[in-house]
Every structure is written in structure tokens, then in C-alpha cells.
Amino acid sequence: MSFMLLNKVFLAPMAGITDKPMRKIVHHISPQVFLTTEMVAVNAISYKNPKTYKMADVHDEPYPVAVQLMGSDPQLFENAAKLVTDLGAASIDINMGCPVRKVVSSHSGSYLMTDMSLASKIIETTVKATSLPVSVKFRKGFDNAHINATEFALMCEESGAAYITVHGRTKAQGYTGTADWEILKTVKENIHIPLVGNGDVKSPDDANKMLSETGADAVMVGRASLGNPWLLRDISDTLANKPLTNIPLISDIEQTLISHISALLDYYGETVALGLTRKYICWYSKTLKDAKKFRENYMKINDFDTAFESIKEYFKHLKGA
Ligand SMILES: Cc1cc2nc3c(=O)[nH]c(=O)nc-3n(C[C@H](O)[C@H](O)[C@H](O)COP(=O)(O)O)c2cc1C
């Protein structure tokens, strides 16, 4: 019997973003969303690189988290799959879609769409090494001359994948142009395992449309959720036919931003976290007024006391106090 997905909405793995602090925030606002790590390199984790190990260690999170593995050597996938199983992963996802040059040139990520036999070996080896569900995330194809998502999906299914996620862009497109949802429909018509559709879901309407147009079993949302974890809640509620909760108040945004920044500080320590907070300042304030000046000032800040003070001042200004 085919594997059943328990969630209709998946947070997309995003390197440098979907870390433990981000998952905590998303889960707090939208507990219905299935969470993931960012991609974790199998070679680094097999050698117990401390930074990579920390990325994959999800044992203390009180909700299921998929750990995404990236690499090219089946033996290292076997080691990594065993390790992340022990580190508390709820499932293992294999990255076969990353378009970054360094990743592709090391025969990982989307390169694997050009080498079905290596891709299949990686999936089979990983499936054998763990009792967890193993999924695969890939793209429409490598480039316009090599669109093979359907064949690739069938290979994943035969190799033992529990489900797949397809991003409707080619590797050559990177993140440009629009995602092709037609390809998702074709893939879905040809496979028996569940399909998570990915690419350009930016609203509850988009999510509904993707599911109805493609037959996908769930949607995965990436960029549109940055600074807007409420979107994931709204999409989940819409797909569950529940009424929408009120849009977040300024005070909700303030509280969430402060919680997110505090979680980054706790997790990474002051030196690393401060740099990371800058992108969240931009994302959370993107729809707020007078944000440009706030951001410009924030970028010059070098310590956390001043950072929290500046956030407090800005939101006080927004609330007209
Ligand atoms: C900054 C950034 C980092 C990403 N990192 C990963 C990653 O580690 N693993 C992965 O499979 N996809 C990664 N992706 C791709 C996303 O998971 C997703 O497939 C893509 O953004 C399309 O979905 P969207 O239109 O909802 O953003 C990344 C995307 C972005 C923008």
C-alpha cells in the first residue's frame, strides 16, 4: 500500500533559513505544517563536522522534522541515513534538485537528474539503511532539452521512495521564470506514491489551484513564507476548509520577530546570530511602513541590546505610541 502523507502543507527546505529557530516559529504559528531541515551534506555529516551535525540533530524538537540529505556517494548516504535516524529525524528527504554550481559539479543535487542509475542507487541504499520514510525532491528536469521529471519520478518510486516533491522549474532556470504546474499533473498521472507540488505557491488561492490543477497530494511553500509564517497557517486552514484567522496585528509581527531573533541568538550565539537577524528584519518588515529607514539603521547595529531596542522603537512608532 502506498505511503500516506499526514500533512497538506510542507515548509520547503531552504539553506541558511529552515534551521531550528525557523522551525520553532513556524510550528508555533502553524502547527499543521510539516517541517524540514535545510540540506545537510552527507560527507560532512559522516565525518561528524560539528556545524553539519548540529544542523541534522533534531532530537529535541517536539514535532516531526524531515532531515534533507545532499551528496553523491551511496556509501555516505548509508552512513548519514543511519546517523540522522539516531538523531531524531521523522523522515529523510534526498536533495536531487539543488542548482548551485558547487553542488552540481560535485555530482549532487540536480546533477543526479542526469544520472538515473546513480540516483537510483542512492535512493535504494538510503531506504535500506533506515526504517524511516525516504522521499526525494527534484525538478522538472536539468534544462529545457532534458525534461525528465516523469521518468525520474517513476525511478524514485521503483527505488523505494515513499513520496516525491517536484519543483516545476528546470535546473537551468534556477529560481527565475514561473514554475510549470503542468509537469506536476503529468507526473501525478504516472505515479502511485504521493506527490508534493512545489513552486510559486504564494497564497491560499495558489495552493488550492495547485492541488486542483495538478492532483498533487500536498503543497510545499518556500520563499513566500519568509517573514510571513502566517501564510502557512492560512494555506493550511484553507486546504482544511477552515475559516481564516485574522491577519496578524502589528503587535503579532513584533512579537514573532522578537521570538525569532531571540531563538537565533540562543541557537547560534551572539556573533553568528547578529548577521543572520538582518535578513529576517528585511523579511518581517517588507509590508510595513517606514521600513526602509528602520532597516538602514538596523544594518549598522553591532550588538543585541541595541538590536532589540531598535525593534522596540520601530514598532512603537508603527503603533503610534
Ligand atoms: C534561499 C533558498 C535556499 C534553498 N535551499 C534549498 C535546500 O537546501 N534544499 C532544497 O531541496 N531546496 C532548496 N531551495 C529550493 C526550495 O526548497 C523550493 O524548491 C524553491 O524555493 C521553490 O519553491 P517556492 O517557489 O515556494 O519558493 C532553496 C530555495 C531558496 C530560495
Side-chain angles (χ1 to χ4, degrees):
M1 205 183 71
S2 166
F3 179 78
M4 284 267 295
L5 294 181
L6 298 175
N7 306 71
K8 283 249 181 234
V9 183
F10 285 52
L11 177 66
M14 288 179 278
I17 298 167
T18 52
D19 51 13
K20 204 179 289 247
M22 171 82 159
R23 293 191 292 273
K24 183 175 166 191
I25 296 297
V26 169
H27 181 78
H28 180 68
I29 290 172
S30 187
Q32 310 90 326
V33 171
F34 188 62
L35 300 167
T36 177
T37 63
E38 43 197 315
M39 62 181 174
V40 172
V42 290
N43 51 352
I45 192 163
S46 296
Y47 306 136
K48 298 221 166 113
N49 170 301
K51 199 172 146 215
T52 314
Y53 196 87
K54 192 172 167 184
M55 274 159 84
D57 185 359
V58 298
H59 81 274
D60 60 345
E61 289 174 76
Y63 31 73
V65 180
V67 174
Q68 190 187 56
L69 298 178
M70 182 273 290
S72 62
D73 179 343
Q75 178 63 55
L76 293 181
F77 270 90
E78 181 180 335
N79 301 349
K82 288 181 177 154
L83 201 66
V84 302
T85 304
D86 291 342
L87 290 174
S91 66
I92 296 176
D93 188 51
I94 305 180
N95 182 325
M96 298 199 177
C98 180
V100 171
R101 189 176 306 157
K102 207 172 102 192
V103 171
V104 177
S105 65
S106 70
H107 293 185
S108 308
S110 59
Y111 168 85
L112 291 164
M113 291 200 77
T114 69
D115 188 342
M116 294 258 237
S117 90
L118 178 57
S120 170
K121 186 130 192 273
I122 287 173
I123 300 167
E124 284 174 357
T125 311
T126 309
V127 169
K128 255 193 225 138
T130 180
S131 55
L132 300 175
V134 174
S135 54
V136 185
K137 180 168 179 281
F138 57 94
R139 287 179 172 243
K140 176 180 173 179
F142 197 77
D143 55 29
N144 262 338
H146 302 89
I147 293 177
N148 62 346
T150 304
E151 273 171 89
F152 202 79
L154 287 167
M155 176 280 293
C156 293
E157 179 172 300
E158 276 159 30
S159 307
Y163 68 92
I164 54 171
T165 302
V166 181
H167 175 195
R169 284 186 175 82
T170 61
K171 175 266 171 195
Q173 278 181 291
Y175 297 98
T176 62
T178 45
D180 173 6
W181 292 358
E182 273 294 311
I183 194 83
L184 305 185
K185 181 167 185 264
T186 312
V187 167
K188 178 64 192 174
E189 284 165 358
N190 282 279
I191 56 172
H192 301 96
I193 54 176
L195 169 69
V196 182
N198 173 235
D200 297 347
V201 174
K202 298 179 199 136
S203 67
D205 277 354
D206 289 343
N208 254 330
K209 201 157 161 254
M210 178 186 264
L211 293 191
S212 65
E213 283 181 8
T214 68
D217 301 273
V219 297
M220 176 179 276
V221 183
R223 291 163 296 173
S225 69
L226 299 175
N228 188 7
W230 300 275
L231 172 68
L232 297 163
R233 177 198 64 188
D234 291 350
I235 292 176
S236 301
D237 286 346
T238 300
L239 297 182
N241 292 317
K242 286 196 199 151
L244 289 188
T245 316
N246 292 338
I247 55 164
L249 301 170
I250 294 291
S251 56
D252 297 326
I253 301 176
E254 177 182 15
Q255 221 171 53
T256 304
L257 174 59
I258 293 206
S259 302
H260 202 149
I261 286 182
S262 307
L264 288 166
L265 175 60
D266 286 349
Y267 186 65
Y268 290 106
E270 186 146 358
T271 323
V272 175
L274 193 65
L276 298 176
T277 66
R278 295 187 181 128
K279 62 189 178 197
Y280 292 96
I281 290 290
C282 295
W283 288 329
Y284 278 97
S285 67
K286 71 187 165 204
T287 60
L288 303 178
K289 66 175 191 191
D290 302 332
K292 191 164 174 264
K293 194 158 159 250
F294 165 56
R295 285 187 213 135
E296 280 170 7
N297 286 339
Y298 192 92
M299 299 308 137
K300 296 180 204 139
I301 292 173
N302 288 316
D303 68 277
F304 266 94
D305 286 346
T306 318
F308 283 119
E309 198 50 45
S310 116
I311 295 167
K312 253 179 38 205
E313 278 302 313
Y314 173 60
F315 280 89
K316 201 162 136 193
H317 162 71
L318 290 183
K319 290 185 273 190

